[in-house]
Amino acid sequence: MNEKKFLADEFEASRAHLKTVAYRMLGSRAEAEDAVQEAWLRLGRSEVSEIGNLGGWLTTVVARICLDMLRSRKSRREESLDPPVHEKIADMATFADPEREIVLADSVGAALLVVLEQLAPAERVAFVLHDMFDLPFDEIAPIIGRTSDATRQLASRARRRVQGKTDVSETGIEHKKEVVRAFLAASRNGNFQALLAVLHPDVVFAPDAAAARFGDAGELRGAQAVATTFKGRARGALPAFVDGGFGFIVRIDDQLRIIVKIGFDGEKIAKIEAIADPGNLEQIEYRLFDQ
């Protein structure tokens, strides 16, 4: 068996585990697939003879890729203060059953994904690798560029935040689901006052170029302007969890045409981001509320 086939076989044997690790960190199956594919590309550029444990090497590389993706995602909203990812490769000796891990990944509810999304990238990686995959802190530390003690503190802080919010997150999520449903109902029925009731006074509507062509409107600010734009619309919209958050999708002629992400400030809708570019639509994960 030549080296290339050996690596391909070993990679395929680890793929389910790697996808589960990536999905737990990123909350997006599309991004998880990207992270796993990038790990395969990096494996092809590496000196295989220097890798002592291929499975552990792949897990660590996927974790580092996910950390970079989380930091990139975070930096689009605010400048990240985390240090660069350490280059040292950690070694993991054992794996859980891949089929069991797929089931575990599918069982991650929207509530947990919403809470995890609020963690800093390094906190999220430390928490997921330790609490969900039982990696020792000594092996996680090089991935996030921290000492073992600092990594332990990060995971502990993340755990407190998750546990502190879990008890109320289901209630909060149900409430936000109702707000999304109320927004769509008010939009479809042309109820201007009901739209104003769920919109933050400083709400921002931000469509991409493709979505702007659908609605003949660019970026809008303020509840009055946004309510006017959505009055009498949203007839083909279906409420959904979008990339671990909230929003809705629009199908036209049974084809997905628009995905809308909704951001909240307290109990009010503060941002409405509409995406219609076909390339971007393919990268967004969604699940209808009723599925």
Side-chain angles (χ1 to χ4, degrees):
M1 181 182 298
N2 61 44
E3 182 180 276
K4 184 175 293 187
K5 186 177 187 309
F6 169 77
L7 290 177
D9 289 345
E10 290 294 306
F11 185 82
E12 286 304 317
S14 299
R15 183 184 289 274
H17 169 80
L18 298 175
K19 286 171 62 177
T20 304
V21 172
Y23 179 64
R24 289 286 185 124
M25 291 187 192
L26 299 170
S28 164
R29 286 186 173 82
E31 288 186 335
E33 290 278 4
D34 289 344
V36 172
Q37 183 60 28
E38 175 61 22
W40 168 249
L41 296 176
R42 293 191 186 186
L43 178 61
R45 298 193 297 264
S46 301
E47 185 58 55
V48 179
S49 62
E50 297 179 2
I51 299 175
N53 182 311
L54 183 57
W57 186 92
L58 287 169
T59 300
T60 302
V61 169
V62 165
R64 291 169 53 217
I65 292 168
C66 290
L67 180 59
D68 286 342
M69 294 171 73
L70 288 170
R71 284 174 173 163
S72 176
R73 183 192 296 173
K74 212 52 172 166
S75 69
R76 290 194 291 268
R77 299 191 294 265
E78 57 183 333
E79 183 178 353
S80 173
L81 298 179
D82 287 322
V85 178
H86 199 284
E87 290 299 318
K88 182 178 178 182
I89 299 298
D91 179 68
M92 189 181 77
T94 59
F95 289 93
D97 179 65
E99 295 301 323
R100 177 174 174 273
E101 288 174 357
I102 293 175
V103 174
L104 285 173
D106 288 338
S107 72
V108 176
L112 179 57
L113 291 179
V114 170
V115 175
L116 289 178
E117 185 66 25
Q118 299 175 36
L119 299 178
E123 285 181 327
R124 186 165 177 169
V125 171
F127 174 76
V128 168
L129 289 180
H130 182 266
D131 284 47
M132 296 183 179
F133 292 96
D134 296 323
L135 244 65
F137 290 118
D138 288 346
E139 296 184 6
I140 302 171
I143 299 174
I144 61 176
R146 307 290 177 91
T147 65
S148 294
D149 287 343
T151 301
R152 186 187 303 275
Q153 292 174 3
L154 280 176
S156 178
R157 185 167 63 198
R159 191 179 307 112
R160 288 196 299 271
R161 294 180 64 184
V162 169
Q163 292 173 346
K165 293 180 180 180
T166 298
D167 292 340
V168 298
S169 61
E170 289 293 346
T171 301
I173 283 175
E174 286 303 318
H175 174 74
K176 288 178 179 176
K177 285 169 64 176
E178 291 307 311
V179 172
V180 173
R181 290 190 176 106
F183 172 80
L184 293 179
S187 177
R188 283 190 291 266
N189 296 330
N191 191 329
F192 187 75
Q193 291 303 317
L195 283 169
L196 289 179
V198 297
L199 294 174
H200 189 278
D202 299 320
V203 62
V204 175
F205 172 55
D208 67 9
R213 288 195 293 271
F214 273 107
D216 298 321
E219 182 173 299
L220 298 172
R221 294 179 178 272
Q224 293 278 341
V226 174
T228 299
T229 294
F230 277 91
K231 181 181 176 182
R233 305 177 75 96
R235 298 192 181 278
L238 298 171
F241 296 110
V242 179
D243 276 349
F246 301 87
F248 58 88
I249 68 168
V250 177
R251 290 192 177 119
I252 300 175
D253 296 330
D254 205 31
Q255 290 188 344
L256 179 65
R257 296 299 181 89
I258 304 173
I259 295 180
V260 176
K261 298 181 180 182
I262 289 178
F264 285 84
D265 184 345
E267 298 183 352
K268 301 281 189 176
I269 294 174
K271 184 170 184 180
I272 304 172
E273 181 183 1
I275 301 100
D277 180 85
N280 291 332
L281 287 178
E282 293 178 357
Q283 304 301 316
I284 300 174
E285 293 292 323
Y286 70 89
R287 178 170 61 85
L288 299 181
F289 283 175
D290 299 326
Q291 289 186 347

